[in-house]
């Protein structure tokens, strides 16, 4: 039997995502009530600009006092889509203190302070859900946290930022340079006026921290994630990748060490073979590849951002939290029982593609090969071309530790015959 008294929802933020959440709550009210077992009522909407017309939202629900809204005491669920660290953090903890569960899309806050937020939720017997914080509409947090709870996840490898994937895909398919591809992404609305969070990898790093923590049942903070942006990727890098049968993607990579005693989390551009499923992810789409011991290889694919896709994830969490509330229970919280350390980037082992500008004369290749050998880095292939006294030397290594590769490159720069290091890129996804 359906409960007639509605569950009350407070919405913090009514921008692209928040307005879509409000619209779906209104237009799909009957379906949501049937799925939950009780009606859900939008009880208040906190915004910064109350004078703006918001279609479909009763102006009487709009307030600029978010704190008062979450303190009302009759709110069952607070949906936070304002982003940033403050005031979102204070509003969420205040919501817990006043008897409300929280659904959030705030990746930066969860990545930075997830441990404290989960602890606050537990202390007050409330839920904290954040499917929308990672990869938009793609169901990923819940499968890792619930569907794979009985399995052992060893690796999560993914494209988790649509803006960067759009730019890199354009460079790959059209031969455009980075700036030209960024300009196109901005014109089409895929890139913000200030794209720094996306192209420098900050957005992806926050998502990597969340994914690693859930996948490996350990605490991984944003500061634990190694990060490189993709602003230095060039058309020449794509040409080299194509010669290897690869393309280039900005990847979030979370791995459990072979001995199971540590984990790593990193974000950087990488070459991946065209045969890998992630190589075919085009445009602004996201995809995440999960490797688990029993389940094997799983791939999650779909739109990773935008009002409707993100709102879909928010509403999925809202339904789950409301069901929990009716049942007098809470869902799974943070699982960090393994307490595994996060290894530094220097310990990460992978393949590398290094492009060197060298003098075109006898003995150069032997000198370069000697440097690699002295640092314990094994060479897989070498390609050399040049004329008129200048040459390009491309070296692809076997798997080596990042620290060993860094030492190798530093030593190469000391050679008189090496004019410069044109590019260094990791090779992943084998």
């Amino acid at each position: 039997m359906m409960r007639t008294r509605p569950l009350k929802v407070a919405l913090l933020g009514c921008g692209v995502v928040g307005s879509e959440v409000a619209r779906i709550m209104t237009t799909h009210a009957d379906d949501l009530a049937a799925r939950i077992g009780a009606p859900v009522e939008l009880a208040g909407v906190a915004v910064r600009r109350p004078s703006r017309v918001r279609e479909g939202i009763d102006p009487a629900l709009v307030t600029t006092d978010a704190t008062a809204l979450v303190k009302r005491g009759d709110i069952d669920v607070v949906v936070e889509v304002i982003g940033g660290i403050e005031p979102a953090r204070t509003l969420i903890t205040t919501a817990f203190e006043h008897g409300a569960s929280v659904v959030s899309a705030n990746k930066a806050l969860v990545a930075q302070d997830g441990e404290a937020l989960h602890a606050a939720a537990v202390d007050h017997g409330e839920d904290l859900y954040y499917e929308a914080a990672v990869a938009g509409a793609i169901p990923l947090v819940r499968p890792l946290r619930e569907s794979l709870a009985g399995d052992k996840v060893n690796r999560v490898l993914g494209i988790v930022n649509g803006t960067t994937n759009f730019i890199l895909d354009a460079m790959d398919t059209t031969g455009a340079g980075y700036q030209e591809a960024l300009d196109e992404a901005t014109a089409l609305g895929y890139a913000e006026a200030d794209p720094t969070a996306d192209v420098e990898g900050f957005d992806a790093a926050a998502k990597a921290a969340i994914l690693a923590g859930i996948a490996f049942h350990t605490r991984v903070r944003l500061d634990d994630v190694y990060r490189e942006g993709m602003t230095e990727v060039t058309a020449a890098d794509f040409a080299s990748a194509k010669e290897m049968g690869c393309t280039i993607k900005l990847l979030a990579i979370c791995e459990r060490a072979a001995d199971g005693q540590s984990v790593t989390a990193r974000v950087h551009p990488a070459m991946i073979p065209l045969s890998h499923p992630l190589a075919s992810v085009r445009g602004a789409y996201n995809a995440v590849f999960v490797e688990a011991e029993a389940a094997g290889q799983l791939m999650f694919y779909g739109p990773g951002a935008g009002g409707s896709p993100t709102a879909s994830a928010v509403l999925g969490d809202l339904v789950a939290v409301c069901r929990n509330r009716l049942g007098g229970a809470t869902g799974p919280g943070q699982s960090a029982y393994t307490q595994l350390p996060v290894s530094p980037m220097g310990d990460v082992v992978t393949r590398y593609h290094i492009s060197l500008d060298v003098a075109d004369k006898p003995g150069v290749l032997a000198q370069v090969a000697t440097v690699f050998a002295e640092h314990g880095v094994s060479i897989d292939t070498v390609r050399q071309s040049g004329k008129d006294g200048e040459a390009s030397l491309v070296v692809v290594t076997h798997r080596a530790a990042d620290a060993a590769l860094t030492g190798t490159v530093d030593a190469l720069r000391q050679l008189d015959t090496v004019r410069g290091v044109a590019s260094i890129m990791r090779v992943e996804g084998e």
Side-chain angles (χ1 to χ4, degrees):
M1 181 180 297
M2 182 179 294
R3 192 180 84 165
T4 57
R5 183 171 65 82
L7 293 160
K8 295 189 176 183
V9 178
L11 179 61
L12 307 183
C14 197
V16 173
V17 175
S19 59
E20 190 66 8
V21 169
R23 184 191 69 79
I24 295 174
M25 285 185 63
T26 301
T27 59
H28 295 181
D30 291 343
D31 286 338
L32 290 172
R35 295 166 192 171
I36 293 169
V40 287
E41 173 189 315
L42 188 59
V45 182
V47 300
R48 287 186 298 176
R49 303 179 184 89
S51 60
R52 180 181 296 176
V53 176
R54 293 172 173 85
E55 186 177 349
I57 296 178
D58 183 351
L61 297 178
V62 177
T63 178
T64 58
D65 194 343
T67 301
L69 178 60
V70 300
K71 283 184 173 181
R72 273 177 36 172
D74 64 336
I75 299 297
D76 293 286
V77 185
V78 170
V79 174
E80 183 270 309
V81 289
I82 57 178
I85 305 302
E86 288 292 356
R89 175 170 50 198
T90 298
L91 290 170
I92 288 174
T93 55
T94 301
F96 292 146
E97 291 165 0
H98 287 77
S101 289
V102 174
V103 171
S104 176
N106 196 330
K107 53 188 169 288
L109 179 58
V110 174
Q112 178 172 305
D113 290 321
E115 180 181 354
L117 293 176
H118 274 290
V122 170
D123 287 345
H124 295 283
E126 303 296 342
D127 270 325
L128 172 63
Y129 276 52
Y130 42 85
E131 182 69 64
V134 181
I138 304 173
L140 189 57
V141 171
R142 192 172 291 116
L144 283 173
R145 189 160 65 173
E146 299 179 27
S147 303
L148 294 173
D151 207 339
K152 182 181 180 182
V153 176
N154 291 319
R155 195 175 197 224
V156 179
L157 172 76
I159 298 164
V160 294
N161 183 278
T163 299
T164 55
N165 198 60
F166 179 91
I167 293 170
L168 292 173
D169 186 43
M171 294 175 70
D172 185 24
T173 56
T174 69
Y178 166 76
Q179 189 60 51
E180 183 182 353
L182 172 59
D183 290 343
E184 181 184 6
T186 304
L188 293 173
Y190 292 123
E192 302 286 345
D194 180 1
T196 302
D198 295 323
V199 300
E200 293 295 352
F202 291 102
D203 175 85
K207 296 169 182 176
I210 295 170
L211 291 174
I214 297 171
F216 306 135
H217 302 278
T218 196
R219 293 187 176 92
V220 180
R221 291 172 52 86
L222 181 57
D223 292 344
D224 295 323
V225 181
Y226 174 83
R227 177 192 55 80
E228 283 181 26
M230 39 81 68
T231 58
E232 301 301 318
V233 176
T234 66
D237 291 326
F238 274 101
S240 293
K242 288 180 179 179
E243 290 180 357
M244 291 180 57
C246 293
T247 188
I248 299 172
K249 299 292 185 181
L250 184 76
L251 299 177
I253 305 169
C254 311
E255 293 179 304
R256 189 191 301 268
D259 63 5
Q261 300 304 303
S262 64
V263 299
T264 59
R266 50 198 166 99
V267 169
H268 54 71
M271 294 183 180
I272 57 172
L274 294 175
S275 58
H276 194 281
L278 292 178
S280 61
V281 178
R282 302 296 183 189
Y285 275 72
N286 285 192
V288 177
F289 203 70
V290 177
E291 299 176 11
E293 283 196 358
Q297 297 179 331
L298 308 170
M299 183 167 168
F300 300 83
Y301 171 84
S308 294
T310 306
S312 172
V314 169
L315 267 295
D317 278 351
L318 178 63
V319 169
V321 169
C322 287
R323 285 173 174 169
N324 292 344
R325 202 163 185 87
L326 289 179
T330 55
Q334 185 180 44
S335 173
Y337 72 91
T338 63
Q339 300 184 33
L340 296 173
V342 182
S343 296
M345 187 63 189
D347 293 346
V348 171
V349 176
T350 189
R351 295 177 68 204
Y352 292 87
H353 176 282
I354 305 103
S355 180
L356 305 172
D357 296 324
V358 299
D360 186 16
K361 64 182 183 180
V364 173
L365 180 55
Q367 287 183 329
V368 169
T370 297
V371 170
F372 275 87
E374 289 174 345
H375 288 80
V377 179
S378 178
I379 294 175
D380 182 19
T381 62
V382 177
R383 186 176 68 253
Q384 185 173 8
S385 62
K387 60 181 180 179
D388 300 328
E390 298 296 330
S392 175
L393 189 64
V394 175
V395 178
V396 180
T397 74
H398 288 290
R399 291 174 64 82
D402 186 84
L405 195 282
T406 299
T408 302
V409 172
D410 289 342
L412 288 171
R413 288 192 169 104
Q414 303 305 311
L415 295 178
D416 292 338
T417 52
V418 175
R419 309 295 193 223
V421 179
S423 69
I424 303 171
M425 192 165 295
R426 296 168 182 86
V427 183
E428 302 281 352
E430 297 174 276

